[in-house]
Structure formats: C-alpha cells, structure tokens
Amino acid sequence: WWDGGTFVRRLRRVGLCTVPRVAEFAVPVVLQTGLQSESQIFQSPAMGWWIPDEARVLPPPNLVNRNSVWVSFMGWCTALVDNAINHRPPLRAGLHRQFLYVTVGWFIGYYLTKHDNYKHAKRDRDLMEYIRLHPEDFKKPERKTFAEFLEKFYPIR
C-alpha cells in the first residue's frame, strides 16, 4: 500500500502534505535499481513523520549509542517486571518476549538519537546563520597577554 511518490502526490493535491518535494540539501537515496525517482527519495513511512527529509544529509548515528542501550535495557526490564507481576520466573520465562522488547527498544533508541542529532544540527545551523547575518553583535575580543591581566608585583620584605 505504500508508494511514496504516489501517496505524497495525492496528499499534496488534497493539501494535507507539508513535506517539501525534495529538501534543498537532501541526499537522494539510490536503491538497488539505481533509479532516483521521487518515490525513492522520499523516506520510509517508519520515520517519515519523525525525522524530516533534510536530516538525511547528517551522518547516521552509531548503532551502539547511549539512547539505544538505555531504551533496550528499559525494554528488558519491562519484560522482567511483566514476568514478575504474572508470577513467572523473571529471567527464564518469556525469552522471546525479552528479546522482542530489547529489539524494539534498540530501534526506538536509535531513532531518538537520530532525531536528537537533527534537532541539534538544525539549532547549530540557525545559530551560525544568525552569527553570520549579525557580525556587529559578535565582535572578536581584543587579545590580551597574561601579563596584562596581572597586577604589578612588588615584593614586600
């Protein structure tokens, strides 16, 4: 049911899609066919609503990052608490459920990191643009030597 280009074009016709056609600095994704159509450039529905197109130029975060580790650990703890509440042996019962919660937690943590990277990169870009447009507010301070900060030394005997 998902054809990125057709789906987005229909939403644009109705006026429900605010996603730009292709971000001005987006890097197109070349799939195995090698074609670069709008449907291939548009993101997958799994993260299209969470991370905009312009975040695609950022380098991907490491697979092992603090958010992935933390959220997957919390998923594992959730499985253990669920086992304990239902009077099952916490560590031995429901290993498939524990593995599922860890995997889902890892996926959520990875995309949280990706969203954080985008948010901070966007803020940095906006701040640098403001600094570039208003150089009078960000004058370089005069360089002083350390001797200019110190008072004159008079030994007392």
Short mmCIF file of all heavy atoms in Angstrom, two decimals, residues 47-75:
data_model
loop_
_atom_site.label_atom_id
_atom_site.label_comp_id
_atom_site.label_asym_id
_atom_site.label_seq_id
_atom_site.Cartn_x
_atom_site.Cartn_y
_atom_site.Cartn_z
N MET A 47 9.85 6.37 9.53
CA MET A 47 10.45 7.53 10.16
C MET A 47 10.12 8.82 9.42
O MET A 47 10.62 9.87 9.79
CB MET A 47 11.95 7.36 10.26
CG MET A 47 12.71 7.42 8.98
SD MET A 47 14.45 7.30 9.34
CE MET A 47 15.07 8.45 8.15
N GLY A 48 9.29 8.78 8.42
CA GLY A 48 8.98 9.99 7.66
C GLY A 48 8.31 11.07 8.47
O GLY A 48 8.52 12.25 8.25
N TRP A 49 7.50 10.70 9.41
CA TRP A 49 6.81 11.69 10.22
C TRP A 49 7.67 12.17 11.37
O TRP A 49 7.42 13.20 11.96
CB TRP A 49 5.51 11.10 10.78
CG TRP A 49 5.74 9.94 11.67
CD1 TRP A 49 5.90 8.65 11.31
CD2 TRP A 49 5.90 9.97 13.08
NE1 TRP A 49 6.12 7.85 12.40
CE2 TRP A 49 6.12 8.66 13.52
CE3 TRP A 49 5.86 10.98 14.03
CZ2 TRP A 49 6.33 8.33 14.84
CZ3 TRP A 49 6.06 10.64 15.36
CH2 TRP A 49 6.28 9.33 15.75
N TRP A 50 8.72 11.44 11.71
CA TRP A 50 9.53 11.74 12.89
C TRP A 50 10.77 12.55 12.52
O TRP A 50 11.17 13.44 13.24
CB TRP A 50 9.91 10.43 13.56
CG TRP A 50 10.74 10.56 14.77
CD1 TRP A 50 12.04 10.21 14.91
CD2 TRP A 50 10.35 11.09 16.04
NE1 TRP A 50 12.47 10.46 16.17
CE2 TRP A 50 11.46 11.01 16.89
CE3 TRP A 50 9.18 11.61 16.54
CZ2 TRP A 50 11.42 11.44 18.21
CZ3 TRP A 50 9.14 12.04 17.86
CH2 TRP A 50 10.25 11.94 18.67
N ILE A 51 11.38 12.22 11.41
CA ILE A 51 12.61 12.88 11.00
C ILE A 51 12.41 13.43 9.60
O ILE A 51 12.12 12.68 8.68
CB ILE A 51 13.79 11.90 11.02
CG1 ILE A 51 13.98 11.34 12.44
CG2 ILE A 51 15.06 12.57 10.56
CD1 ILE A 51 14.96 10.23 12.53
N PRO A 52 12.55 14.75 9.41
CA PRO A 52 12.31 15.34 8.09
C PRO A 52 13.37 14.96 7.06
O PRO A 52 14.41 14.41 7.40
CB PRO A 52 12.30 16.84 8.36
CG PRO A 52 12.79 17.03 9.72
CD PRO A 52 12.80 15.72 10.43
N ASP A 53 13.08 15.30 5.82
CA ASP A 53 13.98 14.97 4.71
C ASP A 53 15.36 15.60 4.87
O ASP A 53 16.36 15.01 4.49
CB ASP A 53 13.38 15.46 3.39
CG ASP A 53 12.66 14.35 2.66
OD1 ASP A 53 12.79 13.19 3.08
OD2 ASP A 53 11.95 14.66 1.69
N GLU A 54 15.42 16.80 5.40
CA GLU A 54 16.70 17.48 5.48
C GLU A 54 17.66 16.82 6.46
O GLU A 54 18.85 17.10 6.46
CB GLU A 54 16.52 18.95 5.82
CG GLU A 54 15.91 19.22 7.16
CD GLU A 54 15.63 20.68 7.39
OE1 GLU A 54 15.70 21.46 6.43
OE2 GLU A 54 15.34 21.04 8.53
N ALA A 55 17.17 15.92 7.29
CA ALA A 55 18.04 15.19 8.22
C ALA A 55 18.82 14.09 7.53
O ALA A 55 19.72 13.51 8.12
CB ALA A 55 17.22 14.61 9.35
N ARG A 56 18.52 13.82 6.28
CA ARG A 56 19.18 12.73 5.58
C ARG A 56 20.63 13.04 5.25
O ARG A 56 21.41 12.14 4.95
CB ARG A 56 18.41 12.39 4.31
CG ARG A 56 16.98 12.03 4.63
CD ARG A 56 16.23 11.74 3.41
NE ARG A 56 16.15 10.29 3.33
CZ ARG A 56 15.95 9.63 2.23
NH1 ARG A 56 15.83 10.25 1.11
NH2 ARG A 56 15.88 8.33 2.25
N VAL A 57 21.03 14.31 5.27
CA VAL A 57 22.41 14.65 4.96
C VAL A 57 23.32 14.42 6.16
O VAL A 57 24.53 14.40 6.02
CB VAL A 57 22.54 16.11 4.47
CG1 VAL A 57 21.77 16.31 3.20
CG2 VAL A 57 22.11 17.08 5.53
N LEU A 58 22.75 14.28 7.34
CA LEU A 58 23.56 14.05 8.53
C LEU A 58 24.11 12.63 8.51
O LEU A 58 23.46 11.71 8.00
CB LEU A 58 22.72 14.25 9.79
CG LEU A 58 22.18 15.64 10.01
CD1 LEU A 58 21.24 15.65 11.20
CD2 LEU A 58 23.30 16.62 10.23
N PRO A 59 25.29 12.44 9.07
CA PRO A 59 25.81 11.06 9.14
C PRO A 59 24.95 10.24 10.08
O PRO A 59 24.43 10.76 11.07
CB PRO A 59 27.22 11.25 9.68
CG PRO A 59 27.22 12.55 10.37
CD PRO A 59 26.21 13.41 9.65
N PRO A 60 24.77 8.96 9.80
CA PRO A 60 23.94 8.14 10.70
C PRO A 60 24.64 7.96 12.04
O PRO A 60 25.87 7.90 12.10
CB PRO A 60 23.83 6.82 9.95
CG PRO A 60 24.99 6.78 9.05
CD PRO A 60 25.30 8.20 8.68
N PRO A 61 23.87 7.89 13.11
CA PRO A 61 24.50 7.66 14.42
C PRO A 61 25.03 6.24 14.52
O PRO A 61 24.67 5.37 13.73
CB PRO A 61 23.35 7.91 15.41
CG PRO A 61 22.11 7.73 14.63
CD PRO A 61 22.43 8.08 13.21
N ASN A 62 25.89 6.03 15.47
CA ASN A 62 26.41 4.69 15.70
C ASN A 62 25.27 3.76 16.12
O ASN A 62 24.31 4.19 16.74
CB ASN A 62 27.46 4.71 16.81
CG ASN A 62 28.70 5.47 16.41
OD1 ASN A 62 29.02 5.55 15.23
ND2 ASN A 62 29.39 6.03 17.38
N LEU A 63 25.40 2.50 15.75
CA LEU A 63 24.38 1.54 16.16
C LEU A 63 24.35 1.37 17.67
O LEU A 63 23.30 1.17 18.27
CB LEU A 63 24.60 0.20 15.48
CG LEU A 63 24.27 0.17 14.00
CD1 LEU A 63 24.61 -1.20 13.43
CD2 LEU A 63 22.82 0.47 13.77
N VAL A 64 25.51 1.43 18.29
CA VAL A 64 25.58 1.34 19.75
C VAL A 64 25.75 2.76 20.27
O VAL A 64 26.83 3.35 20.19
CB VAL A 64 26.76 0.45 20.20
CG1 VAL A 64 26.82 0.38 21.71
CG2 VAL A 64 26.65 -0.92 19.59
N ASN A 65 24.67 3.33 20.79
CA ASN A 65 24.72 4.66 21.37
C ASN A 65 23.96 4.63 22.69
O ASN A 65 23.29 3.66 23.02
CB ASN A 65 24.16 5.71 20.40
CG ASN A 65 22.77 5.39 19.95
OD1 ASN A 65 21.86 5.28 20.76
ND2 ASN A 65 22.59 5.21 18.65
N ARG A 66 24.07 5.70 23.45
CA ARG A 66 23.51 5.68 24.80
C ARG A 66 22.00 5.53 24.79
O ARG A 66 21.44 4.84 25.65
CB ARG A 66 23.92 6.93 25.57
CG ARG A 66 23.42 8.22 24.99
CD ARG A 66 23.92 9.42 25.77
NE ARG A 66 23.50 10.63 25.12
CZ ARG A 66 22.35 11.23 25.36
NH1 ARG A 66 21.52 10.72 26.23
NH2 ARG A 66 22.04 12.33 24.72
N ASN A 67 21.30 6.13 23.83
CA ASN A 67 19.85 6.00 23.79
C ASN A 67 19.43 4.58 23.45
O ASN A 67 18.50 4.04 24.06
CB ASN A 67 19.25 6.97 22.77
CG ASN A 67 19.29 8.40 23.25
OD1 ASN A 67 19.34 8.66 24.44
ND2 ASN A 67 19.27 9.33 22.32
N SER A 68 20.10 3.96 22.49
CA SER A 68 19.74 2.58 22.13
C SER A 68 19.98 1.64 23.30
O SER A 68 19.13 0.79 23.61
CB SER A 68 20.58 2.12 20.94
OG SER A 68 20.23 2.83 19.79
N VAL A 69 21.11 1.79 23.95
CA VAL A 69 21.42 0.91 25.07
C VAL A 69 20.43 1.13 26.21
O VAL A 69 19.90 0.18 26.79
CB VAL A 69 22.87 1.13 25.54
CG1 VAL A 69 23.15 0.39 26.83
CG2 VAL A 69 23.85 0.71 24.46
N TRP A 70 20.15 2.39 26.51
CA TRP A 70 19.27 2.69 27.64
C TRP A 70 17.83 2.22 27.37
O TRP A 70 17.22 1.57 28.23
CB TRP A 70 19.29 4.18 27.94
CG TRP A 70 18.36 4.56 29.04
CD1 TRP A 70 17.18 5.23 28.94
CD2 TRP A 70 18.50 4.25 30.43
NE1 TRP A 70 16.59 5.37 30.16
CE2 TRP A 70 17.38 4.77 31.11
CE3 TRP A 70 19.47 3.57 31.16
CZ2 TRP A 70 17.21 4.64 32.47
CZ3 TRP A 70 19.29 3.46 32.53
CH2 TRP A 70 18.18 3.99 33.16
N VAL A 71 17.29 2.51 26.20
CA VAL A 71 15.90 2.15 25.92
C VAL A 71 15.76 0.64 25.79
O VAL A 71 14.77 0.06 26.23
CB VAL A 71 15.38 2.89 24.67
CG1 VAL A 71 13.96 2.48 24.34
CG2 VAL A 71 15.44 4.39 24.88
N SER A 72 16.77 -0.04 25.22
CA SER A 72 16.68 -1.50 25.14
C SER A 72 16.81 -2.12 26.53
O SER A 72 16.13 -3.12 26.84
CB SER A 72 17.75 -2.06 24.21
OG SER A 72 19.03 -1.79 24.72
N PHE A 73 17.63 -1.54 27.40
CA PHE A 73 17.71 -2.03 28.78
C PHE A 73 16.38 -1.84 29.49
O PHE A 73 15.92 -2.73 30.24
CB PHE A 73 18.83 -1.30 29.53
CG PHE A 73 18.91 -1.66 30.98
CD1 PHE A 73 19.36 -2.90 31.38
CD2 PHE A 73 18.52 -0.74 31.95
CE1 PHE A 73 19.43 -3.24 32.72
CE2 PHE A 73 18.58 -1.07 33.29
CZ PHE A 73 19.04 -2.32 33.68
N MET A 74 15.73 -0.70 29.26
CA MET A 74 14.42 -0.48 29.87
C MET A 74 13.38 -1.45 29.31
O MET A 74 12.49 -1.89 30.04
CB MET A 74 13.97 0.97 29.68
CG MET A 74 14.84 1.99 30.38
SD MET A 74 15.18 1.64 32.09
CE MET A 74 13.58 1.76 32.80
N GLY A 75 13.49 -1.80 28.04
CA GLY A 75 12.60 -2.81 27.47
C GLY A 75 12.81 -4.16 28.12
O GLY A 75 11.85 -4.89 28.41
#
